[in-house]
Amino acid sequence: MKLYNFFKIAGISCLLLLGSTSCEEFLTNDHPTETTDDKFWKTMNECENALGQCRSWFRAGHGGQNISLVCLEGATDNMYFMSNFEQRIVMLGNGSLVSPTENNAPTAWEDIFLSWEYYYQLIRRCCRFLEHVDGAFFSDESERTRMKAEAKMWRAWYHILLLKWYGRHDGIPIVEKALKQDEIYLPRNTVEECLAFINREFDEVLQIQDDKAFPFIWDEGRRDRMSKSVALCMKMDINLQFKKYDVARSAAKQLIDSGVFELYYDTESDGTDPGANYRNMFTYKGEQNSERIFFSKDGANETWFRYMGTPLGGQGVAAPLKSLMDTYETIDGQTIQSLSAAERTEYEKNPLYKPRDPRLGATMMLPGDNTSISNYTYTPFNSASSDYVGLTGASRSGYMLKKWIDENDRATGRGTLDFVFYRYAEVLLDYVECLVETGDWQNPEVENYINMIRRRAGLPDMDKTVYNSQEKVRELYRRERRVELCFEGKRYDDIRRWEIGPATMTGPIRGAWNPNDNAFVLIESRNCTFPKYDSWPLPQQEETSNPNIDQPVGW
């Protein structure tokens, strides 16, 4: 593995930071200041500063190198994405992506396909931190333990992301020390080797006995720190992705049995608004709750600006799709696919023809919506409106994203809303998936945890006369997961783990019913091939420079 662009950046940094100092020396001493290693790694504060350079948080809007998981939903059957930034998400979604080259390099606003070199830079920082932190003076040894645990977890996290995005079938190079220039041409480790390394990292931090240094969960003011519960979430997630169900189930069970987390309920709601529990969890009102486990502070700070349309001061980059809309059940728990052809057509043309799963109205704005935003009506099929489908700054589908939107951000288009990566509902759903996929679909916990999520949403319990086989319970579980976790960055991985890419990522994608054309909005036709689109292509320079590495399968 040659981190090609890292060396270009390092070379520039040599000139800017160290004057006549050689680039080779800079690569050995890349710390957050201009000083040398023997002068820097001395105090607890210096180590804290260095640890800060190891962190990179996901975002909900455009985050530069901090990837937007909501934007990535544009490469799924949940959403179409169109913007002046991260435009290759469109190509990732429709099957036209090509490997980045010097003549086809991502622009300054296309960070997602710079992730290979960016995350390996962060891994290097974590490695250098761990190699130097023990030489510094700490007045509180618990702080040293905390910092070392955090650095290990961030290093494992970046390996997880690289494995999911660039090596789902092929693996990635494992880096657990700061490499010298003659060590950089690494081959891929196998997927099994990568999982063993990642699990070992998590097991080490989970064995820490000092709760002051590394508790199960931090207090509210420090909830966004790495902790044992976050380690269990990450371990659960990555093992589920690669169908290591026993490991994933064990991690999920520890989170459930801890009794620390619970599903969020709006305690101020009188029950007449069944969507309040779900809707308010993604607003300032319900932001601080006992459901969230790992989140980015202020990570959804610009969702209004990115996802609202031009009349509301936004860019309208997110276009929810008909495919997702048709997934929501009726209020009495029926799928629209189970209804008569005539009634299904009514629901497709007018999704709120009759009451639906309240999560629908909490997640998306539909044509004619005049209640979601004060003094505003969404009119995507009025040619005199700036919301008109097809205009710049308007949703391309005729549906608009409502999740992560809070009207308190309307005046400036920005705010301080947190973005949640892992929450308790996902833990319950992951645990259910592990049971179902290992043949234990009749376990009472499957029904219990699915019903907990459905009741919170305002839906009836699972109908056991319908969902009475492994296949049918799997169908229900997958539908619940898609609806509950949409626009949280989960669908992209679900499509690949469940191997449903050929069924979901090919053919035309559509939006709302356009009464002017008497047809559903046709956005584009997709043609993603699998297993090629299970992984992203490496930058071409990487493959050219390193004789020990090849592109992922299909590329």
Side-chain angles (χ1 to χ4, degrees):
M1 172 196 60
K2 181 173 182 182
L3 307 185
Y4 179 85
N5 285 316
F6 173 66
F7 286 113
K8 291 198 293 186
I9 295 168
I12 295 171
S13 300
C14 291
L15 297 174
L16 294 178
L17 297 181
L18 299 177
S20 61
T21 303
S22 72
C23 186
E24 174 68 22
E25 181 177 354
F26 175 75
L27 290 172
T28 308
N29 303 314
D30 53 338
H31 41 65
T33 74
E34 298 180 17
T35 189
T36 56
D37 273 349
D38 60 345
K39 295 179 181 178
F40 177 74
W41 301 93
K42 295 296 185 183
T43 69
M44 184 169 68
N45 286 339
E46 287 173 330
C47 291
E48 186 70 75
N49 290 336
L51 181 61
Q53 300 296 311
C54 297
R55 302 185 182 109
S56 180
W57 301 94
F58 281 143
R59 313 293 292 181
H62 178 256
Q65 291 177 317
N66 299 301
I67 300 301
S68 169
L69 290 186
V70 179
C71 293
L72 189 58
E73 294 264 320
T76 77
D77 55 346
N78 281 351
M79 188 178 98
Y80 179 76
F81 173 83
M82 176 57 74
S83 174
N84 62 352
F85 63 91
E86 302 293 9
Q87 295 178 15
R88 293 184 202 215
I89 290 177
V90 178
M91 303 175 195
L92 181 64
N94 65 25
S96 64
L97 186 68
V98 296
S99 301
T101 66
E102 288 186 347
N103 297 324
N104 182 36
T107 69
W109 287 85
E110 292 183 299
D111 293 279
I112 192 167
F113 289 103
L114 298 175
S115 298
W116 176 266
E117 50 263 43
Y118 176 58
Y119 285 127
Y120 273 116
Q121 288 179 43
L122 291 170
I123 288 171
R124 175 180 173 82
R125 292 177 190 172
C126 294
C127 291
R128 283 183 43 75
F129 178 89
L130 291 166
E131 291 165 4
H132 287 88
V133 64
D134 283 336
F137 171 75
F138 275 69
S139 58
D140 184 347
E141 283 300 317
S142 289
E143 282 295 282
R144 191 195 311 271
T145 300
R146 173 185 67 81
M147 291 186 200
K148 290 171 69 173
E150 285 198 39
K152 278 182 173 288
M153 283 191 62
W154 282 110
R155 182 170 68 180
W157 178 238
Y158 301 138
H159 277 89
I160 286 174
L161 300 178
L162 290 164
L163 181 61
K164 291 196 301 181
W165 292 342
Y166 291 97
R168 191 170 281 269
H169 300 289
D170 311 87
I172 58 168
I174 296 172
V175 176
E176 49 187 326
K177 69 172 186 175
L179 301 177
K180 297 178 181 178
Q181 193 166 0
D182 60 353
E183 299 174 318
I184 60 177
Y185 298 100
L186 295 180
R188 294 177 184 268
N189 291 87
T190 66
V191 170
E192 293 296 326
E193 289 169 340
C194 293
L195 292 175
F197 166 73
I198 291 166
N199 284 327
R200 186 169 65 249
E201 293 278 271
F202 289 137
D203 289 342
E204 287 182 9
V205 300
L206 288 168
Q207 291 171 9
I208 294 173
Q209 300 298 313
D210 184 354
D211 286 339
K212 176 185 175 185
F214 199 64
F216 190 80
I217 185 173
W218 289 94
D219 54 67
E220 186 57 46
R222 298 178 289 181
R223 277 286 302 279
D224 60 342
R225 282 186 176 182
M226 293 292 190
S227 64
K228 287 189 175 76
S229 59
V230 176
L232 287 169
C233 274
M234 291 180 176
K235 186 176 182 181
M236 171 192 71
D237 185 15
I238 190 58
N239 284 281
L240 181 68
Q241 298 305 326
F242 291 92
K243 303 181 181 180
K244 305 297 182 183
Y245 297 119
D246 289 345
V247 180
R249 181 177 59 198
S250 175
K253 186 64 171 172
Q254 291 178 66
L255 288 162
I256 294 169
D257 289 347
S258 72
V260 171
F261 304 104
E262 61 185 3
L263 296 180
Y264 168 78
Y265 277 81
D266 182 353
T267 57
E268 297 179 6
S269 174
D270 60 5
T272 60
D273 180 5
N277 297 321
Y278 187 80
R279 181 180 65 252
N280 290 335
M281 179 166 49
F282 304 101
T283 67
Y284 294 112
K285 182 177 183 180
E287 182 177 36
Q288 295 186 358
N289 60 69
S290 296
E291 181 164 345
R292 62 181 184 170
I293 301 174
F294 187 43
F295 61 92
S296 169
K297 185 173 175 56
D298 303 342
N301 65 319
E302 61 167 29
T303 49
W304 185 283
F305 172 62
R306 298 299 180 187
Y307 302 125
M308 292 292 93
T310 300
L312 295 171
Q315 294 183 319
V317 306
L321 297 177
K322 177 179 182 292
S323 169
L324 174 60
M325 188 70 67
D326 291 346
T327 304
Y328 289 85
E329 296 178 6
T330 64
I331 194 65
D332 57 358
Q334 296 185 77
T335 66
I336 67 169
Q337 292 76 19
S338 68
L339 304 175
S340 68
E343 193 164 17
R344 174 178 178 175
T345 298
E346 291 288 349
Y347 274 109
E348 289 182 344
K349 290 182 177 181
N350 177 11
L352 296 182
Y353 154 70
K354 290 180 181 179
R356 297 283 288 275
D357 179 341
R359 288 173 293 189
L360 189 159
T363 302
M364 290 173 276
M365 293 171 58
L366 280 60
D369 185 329
N370 61 2
T371 62
S372 292
I373 306 295
S374 61
N375 302 312
Y376 169 77
T377 300
Y378 180 45
T379 55
F381 300 117
N382 179 354
S383 59
S385 170
S386 296
D387 279 326
Y388 188 62
V389 167
L391 293 181
T392 300
S395 166
R396 295 288 296 275
S397 69
Y399 300 129
M400 195 155 59
L401 185 62
K402 183 175 175 181
K403 194 172 185 176
W404 305 110
I405 298 299
D406 191 303
E407 197 162 354
N408 286 295
D409 295 340
R410 183 173 185 171
T412 64
R414 290 174 170 81
T416 59
L417 191 65
D418 297 339
F419 180 63
V420 180
F421 308 156
Y422 291 120
R423 56 188 178 92
Y424 188 53
E426 182 178 356
V427 174
L428 298 178
L429 289 167
D430 283 11
Y431 185 72
V432 167
E433 181 168 344
C434 291
L435 293 177
V436 172
E437 296 304 328
T438 54
D440 198 11
W441 60 273
Q442 293 176 298
N443 189 313
E445 291 177 307
V446 171
E447 180 183 3
N448 181 34
Y449 294 146
I450 288 177
N451 286 342
M452 285 173 61
I453 292 171
R454 290 176 66 84
R455 289 169 191 163
R456 192 262 297 272
L459 288 178
D461 285 353
M462 166 183 172
D463 185 344
K464 295 177 69 174
T465 66
V466 175
Y467 302 103
N468 54 8
S469 68
Q470 182 183 31
E471 181 179 357
K472 291 298 291 183
V473 173
R474 180 187 292 123
E475 173 193 314
L476 174 63
Y477 157 76
R478 290 185 178 184
R479 184 168 64 250
E480 278 299 319
R481 182 179 178 91
R482 184 179 183 186
V483 167
E484 177 71 22
L485 301 179
C486 63
F487 307 114
E488 296 180 45
K490 309 300 178 181
R491 183 64 175 174
Y492 183 88
D493 289 332
D494 292 347
I495 288 172
R496 283 142 185 85
R497 181 175 73 260
W498 297 338
E499 300 177 23
I500 58 174
T504 60
M505 298 303 296
T506 58
I509 58 171
R510 294 184 167 89
W513 176 260
N514 185 342
N516 302 323
D517 298 336
N518 286 319
F520 295 101
V521 174
L522 176 62
I523 301 173
E524 68 171 356
S525 186
R526 290 174 164 177
N527 188 30
C528 294
T529 56
F530 294 85
K532 178 178 180 178
Y533 274 81
D534 284 336
S535 298
W536 301 351
L538 299 179
Q540 188 61 48
Q541 298 94 330
E542 180 76 16
E543 185 182 20
T544 301
S545 302
N546 183 357
N548 297 319
I549 203 165
D550 294 318
Q551 290 285 2
V553 62
W555 291 98

